[in-house]
Amino acid sequence: EKFDRLRYVEIKHGRISMLAVLGQITTKYGIRLPGDIDYSGTKFADIPTGISAFYKFSSAGWAQMIAFIGVLELFVMKDVTGEGEFPGDFRN
């Protein structure tokens, strides 16, 4: 059972890492969302790529991102039916 849990977590983190790399490539290529990221007028294009982007978000922005990730972890990315064919089967 512990091995299955470790496999499940590894698959989940691997998928998140692949999305992060895709996001990095996309923003380096110059594709950005249109409009503003916050009410103070900061545009998506004003946010740099990589580690330097961490310093451009306010504490409210960080709280919103952490809350969203928490909702995904607790309610969305899990085997709801209990009938997953393999570890990491998130077909709800």
Side-chain angles (χ1 to χ4, degrees), residues 38 53-67:
D38 60 11
F54 284 113
Y55 306 109
K56 293 290 186 175
F57 292 106
S58 66
S59 58
W62 279 109
Q64 184 179 18
M65 286 187 276
I66 291 170

Side-chain angles (χ1 to χ4, degrees), residues 70-81:
V71 167
L72 288 177
E73 283 283 330
L74 294 174
F75 301 110
V76 178
M77 294 185 70
K78 62 181 185 174
D79 184 14
V80 177
T81 62

Side-chain angles (χ1 to χ4, degrees), residues 4-52:
D4 286 340
R5 171 75 179 141
L6 291 174
R7 180 182 288 170
Y8 166 84
V9 170
E10 183 178 0
I11 290 172
K12 188 181 211 180
H13 289 162
R15 290 175 180 170
I16 292 169
S17 297
M18 287 187 278
L19 285 173
V21 168
L22 183 61
Q24 178 73 10
I25 291 170
T26 303
T27 55
K28 283 281 190 182
Y29 186 66
I31 299 173
R32 304 291 177 101
L33 293 172
D36 298 336
I37 196 167
D38 60 11
Y39 291 123
S40 65
T42 306
K43 297 189 178 313
F44 282 100
D46 296 338
I47 304 295
T49 60
I51 298 295
S52 56

